[in-house]
Amino acid sequence: MAASGLAVCAAAAAAETSVVIDRCSVFDPESGKMLPERTITVRGARIVDVTGKDDVGNMPADAQRIDGRGKFALPGLIDAHVHVVHVLDFAHVTGDEVLPLYLAAGVTSIRSAGDEPVAATLVARFAAAHPDWTPRVFTCSPLLDAEPPIHRDVGRAITDPANVPALFDDLARWNVSTVKIYAGTARPVGRAIIDEAHRRGLFVTAHLGNYSAQDAMADGVDGLEHIWSVFNYVIPPEVAKEPGHRGRLDLGNPLCESLVAELVKRRTYVDPTLAVFRNMILLSDLSEIRDHPDNALVPKRLREFWPIYLRQTGCPQGGALEDRRREFAKFQELTGKMYRAGVPLLVGTDSPEPQVPPGFSLHQELEMLVESGLSPAAALRAATLTNATVLGEKEQLGSISSGKWADIVLLSANPLNDIRNTRRIELVIRGGNVCRPADLLIRVPKE
């Protein structure tokens, strides 16, 4: 969402009312620590002050006081890879119907990762007009692809580099914050997209296919979506032809080492989206995934469409269950390898793909990132401050700091002790509006 959209959110927020959370612990994503005994003061849509117990001054007389003792405050979580049109359209669900799910899960901002711009813009405008029960929505270009686009509902063919400036003139009218290159795009067009996007101050991410990771990085791509965008280019050709090849890959091979080193050198962001690989692509036939309690929270229309979509896409992929488990383990191994090397990681889910429920799948993603080797603090930093950075909103979002938007998740248990505690949500504040998860879930259609 552009600055104008954020201004609408501020205007719609509670008219300069105050909220004070007394003496809670506050997660600082910069240090990765919980800062004890902090009092957070919110006025209108913004955080006014964060003070220690000995520095608290006079509280606003009209403030809503919240006892934060024994509680833990996180910056609002951000999902860096969702779709507010794609998949939902086939299920006859509109984006606004699932927005409360994100906020109920503590996800106060979402980044579209490629959608039809008219419908996505309408969803973003709806969210801006209803900050009391929806997250902030940041929009993206359609999937910029070859002819014909792989996903015709949300894709747009661009095959001639000479046509790229005109494409961006059109995208400018939709006020997108991210541009996404898709799998069919060849290098000459990809390079032209990256150059033009950077001239216009836009973040460029890519779901790669024809365009190699090495070439995309050399051309200046800012981010890579899905672990596949890295994995597919650390596989020797002779291995890639074999069934279940990813599960047998040696991640210590020189090709993998050089690619990870290049990611670090160029500060290329990687969004692994482990949730979609485990829950949809590789292991969706497992009962613990198919019947996960999070799935029951989505509208019935979406839930009933998921099995249809899985059949249409040939999922689960990868052959025997043992091979698929091994393949997913390699995805997690590579994620941990990138983290230890210093690759900047994002947190995204690819919701609402099958078994990837809006909002609540972000908690699953955090758990899988920790299983992959990230510390809870590192996973939370990625889901807050790092995600805010790629949105160009580091000065507005991503930490609980004076002057930033008042997007806060208050937990009853410490997530640095156990990342699963991110689910222990007492309340969510979005732009100064205090929300209770149970009240938000009531807004989600059952059918």
Side-chain angles (χ1 to χ4, degrees), residues 257-287:
E257 296 290 342
S258 65
L259 181 57
V260 171
E262 194 68 12
L263 288 165
V264 175
K265 176 184 174 182
R266 295 184 178 275
R267 296 295 296 168
T268 306
Y269 294 89
V270 176
D271 190 358
T273 65
L274 296 172
V276 75
F277 288 105
R278 187 191 69 177
N279 296 6
M280 173 193 174
I281 295 172
L282 294 174
L283 300 171
S284 58
D285 53 339
L286 296 182
S287 60

Side-chain angles (χ1 to χ4, degrees), residues 26 28 38-43 45-52 394-408:
V26 172
D28 172 27
R38 294 305 196 264
T39 292
I40 307 167
T41 303
V42 173
R43 184 71 177 174
R46 293 196 179 264
I47 298 167
V48 174
D49 212 351
V50 183
T51 54
K394 185 178 180 180
E395 302 307 313
Q396 306 286 352
L397 299 170
S399 65
I400 299 175
S401 308
S402 299
K404 290 194 175 186
W405 296 110
D407 289 7
I408 302 166

Side-chain angles (χ1 to χ4, degrees), residues 177-224:
S177 60
T178 301
V179 175
K180 186 173 179 181
I181 296 169
Y182 207 60
T185 300
R187 186 178 188 182
V189 174
R191 185 191 298 119
I193 289 170
I194 292 167
D195 289 346
E196 188 66 26
H198 287 170
R199 274 194 288 272
R200 299 180 186 232
L202 296 171
F203 186 94
V204 186
T205 196
H207 173 157
L208 296 174
N210 289 338
Y211 194 5
S212 77
Q214 290 90 339
D215 287 345
M217 282 193 289
D219 294 341
V221 74
D222 300 306
L224 300 178

Side-chain angles (χ1 to χ4, degrees), residues 261-377:
E262 194 68 12
L263 288 165
V264 175
K265 176 184 174 182
R266 295 184 178 275
R267 296 295 296 168
T268 306
Y269 294 89
V270 176
D271 190 358
T273 65
L274 296 172
V276 75
F277 288 105
R278 187 191 69 177
N279 296 6
M280 173 193 174
I281 295 172
L282 294 174
L283 300 171
S284 58
D285 53 339
L286 296 182
S287 60
E288 61 264 33
I289 291 171
R290 184 183 62 242
D291 302 325
H292 195 288
D294 290 344
N295 297 342
L297 299 173
V298 308
K300 183 180 178 182
R301 280 164 289 152
L302 181 56
R303 226 169 37 246
E304 290 181 341
F305 174 70
W306 280 345
I308 298 169
Y309 192 58
L310 286 171
R311 290 194 295 272
Q312 292 173 344
T313 53
C315 290
Q317 298 171 0
L321 177 59
E322 182 180 352
D323 289 339
R324 290 184 274 130
R325 286 187 188 277
R326 188 184 304 116
E327 182 171 351
F328 183 70
K330 287 294 183 181
F331 288 178
Q332 290 192 285
E333 184 181 348
L334 178 56
T335 299
K337 184 181 185 70
M338 289 190 294
Y339 164 65
R340 290 186 296 273
V343 176
L345 299 180
L346 305 179
V347 181
T349 62
D350 213 0
S351 166
E353 295 281 0
Q355 277 79 252
V356 188
F360 291 88
S361 57
L362 190 77
H363 299 287
Q364 299 178 33
E365 185 76 17
L366 289 169
E367 291 166 22
M368 284 183 272
L369 288 171
V370 171
E371 290 170 3
S372 301
L374 277 70
S375 66

Side-chain angles (χ1 to χ4, degrees), residues 135-192:
R136 304 175 193 278
V137 177
F138 294 85
T139 58
C140 178
S141 71
L143 305 178
L144 304 181
D145 205 352
E147 180 67 72
I150 295 168
H151 294 292
R152 298 194 185 199
D153 59 322
V154 294
R156 183 176 299 183
I158 177 75
T159 58
D160 185 346
N163 294 333
V164 168
L167 166 71
F168 274 79
D169 287 341
D170 179 67
L171 291 178
R173 299 181 180 185
W174 293 112
N175 237 355
V176 301
S177 60
T178 301
V179 175
K180 186 173 179 181
I181 296 169
Y182 207 60
T185 300
R187 186 178 188 182
V189 174
R191 185 191 298 119

Side-chain angles (χ1 to χ4, degrees), residues 428-447:
V428 181
I429 300 177
R430 195 287 225 193
N433 294 282
V434 179
C435 315
R436 303 282 177 178
D439 296 333
L440 294 164
L441 291 174
I442 291 172
R443 291 184 174 273
V444 181
K446 303 301 179 189
E447 295 300 318

